[in-house]
């Protein structure tokens, strides 16, 4: 399935890409509204995400163009709102046919949960078995626990229960003492912090022995409810 992302700035790209790729979407990004309109038929997206903050004048035009050809049921549209998105604009968005609004940063559990609910309308989900994850801080070996919010072959999004413990971990820090549960298997990947925040993104650097094959096999058979989880 193709997902069309109309996003001008880069700061929101990585979190969005992580969540949608985890569900098996092929991500196509355009930085310009006109190019997105020109290529809509060719891309034939199953879902479109538009940044209202990046295109404050043109998101309505693009949304009207999409809805002239594709209904909300055929092609859901999610609008990324900025910090200052008045109620009047939200009302216009729903009147024009947007399926949902989410914050651009996706840095709170509530917003990730909202995004997950919107994606449920596009990707069928099943009851999850689940992934689990914890790691120890390199500097003092304190254990950091939390919930896996999304997982993909390249890494995971992690919601630490005690976010204060993450503040002293610099970006790009290698985390050698990690424990990842995938079904009944307990794996020991080496990870790297690539995106800090209330929900952090971690990249898998390596797995010992045959654990990479075990992880890949379990992930391939996992349902979308497992790879995108709720708080």
């Amino acid at each position: 399935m193709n997902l069309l992302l109309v996003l001008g700035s880069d700061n929101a790209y990585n979190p969005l890409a992580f969540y949608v790729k985890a569900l098996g979407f092929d991500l196509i990004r355009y930085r310009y509204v006109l190019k997105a309109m020109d290529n809509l038929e060719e891309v034939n997206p199953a879902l479109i995400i538009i940044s209202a903050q990046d295109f404050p004048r043109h998101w309505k035009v693009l949304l009207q163009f999409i809805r002239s050809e594709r209904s909300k049921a055929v092609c859901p549209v999610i609008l990324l709102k900025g910090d200052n998105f008045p109620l009047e604009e939200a009302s216009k968005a729903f009147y024009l046919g947007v399926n949902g609004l989410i914050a651009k940063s996706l840095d709170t559990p509530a917003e990730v949960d909202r995004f997950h609910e919107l994606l449920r309308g596009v990707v069928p989900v099943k009851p999850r078995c689940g992934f689990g994850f914890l790691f120890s801080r390199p500097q003092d070996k304190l254990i950091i626990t939390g919930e896996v919010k999304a997982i993909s072959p390249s890494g995971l999004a992690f919601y630490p229960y005690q976010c204060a413990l993450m503040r002293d971990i610099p970006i790009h820090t290698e985390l050698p003492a990690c424990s990842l549960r995938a079904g009944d298997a307990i794996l020991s990947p080496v990870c790297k912090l690539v995106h800090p925040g209330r929900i952090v993104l971690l990249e898998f650097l390596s797995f010992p022995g045959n654990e990479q094959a075990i992880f890949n096999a379990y992930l391939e058979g996992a349902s979308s409810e497992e790879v995108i989880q709720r708080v």
Side-chain angles (χ1 to χ4, degrees), residues 3-61:
L3 184 146
L4 176 59
L5 179 60
V6 188
L7 181 68
S9 60
D10 294 331
N11 59 344
Y13 176 79
N14 285 339
L16 281 169
F18 189 95
Y19 284 106
V20 298
K21 285 181 179 179
L23 288 174
F25 282 103
D26 294 317
L27 184 58
I28 299 170
R29 178 188 179 184
Y30 290 126
R31 298 175 185 269
Y32 303 101
V33 168
L34 286 178
K35 188 164 185 178
M37 294 169 67
D38 288 342
N39 291 280
L40 183 63
E41 190 67 29
E42 179 182 350
V43 172
N44 191 27
L47 174 68
I48 300 175
I49 300 177
I50 306 169
S51 173
Q53 183 175 0
D54 292 345
F55 308 106
R57 298 181 182 177
H58 298 114
W59 66 263
K60 300 183 189 74
V61 176

Side-chain angles (χ1 to χ4, degrees), residues 98-195:
V98 75
N99 291 71
L101 302 172
I102 59 170
K104 186 176 180 181
S105 58
L106 275 182
D107 59 358
T108 68
E111 287 301 327
V112 172
D113 211 29
R114 172 63 178 155
F115 189 43
H116 172 252
E117 287 299 320
L118 293 171
L119 292 175
R120 285 171 66 94
V122 183
V123 181
V125 295
K126 308 170 196 176
R128 68 173 185 241
C129 299
F131 292 87
F133 184 79
L134 58 84
F135 69 96
S136 65
R137 295 199 308 183
Q139 62 266 44
D140 54 19
K141 308 305 180 186
L142 281 175
I143 300 297
I144 297 179
T145 61
E147 293 188 32
V148 175
K149 294 299 296 176
I151 193 164
S152 75
S154 60
L156 57 87
F158 183 63
Y159 168 44
Y161 292 139
Q162 294 178 287
C163 60
L165 296 179
M166 298 292 303
R167 292 173 186 162
D168 297 329
I169 305 178
I171 191 170
H172 304 311
T173 295
E174 186 172 308
L175 306 171
C178 301
S179 179
L180 172 66
R181 177 176 57 81
D184 295 328
I186 304 298
L187 312 175
S188 302
V190 176
C191 299
K192 180 174 71 173
L193 176 64
V194 295
H195 184 83

Side-chain angles (χ1 to χ4, degrees), residues 126-131 151 218 221-229:
K126 308 170 196 176
R128 68 173 185 241
C129 299
F131 292 87
I151 193 164
Y218 186 82
S223 69
S224 58
E225 181 73 8
E226 289 181 80
V227 298
I228 296 286
Q229 300 190 26

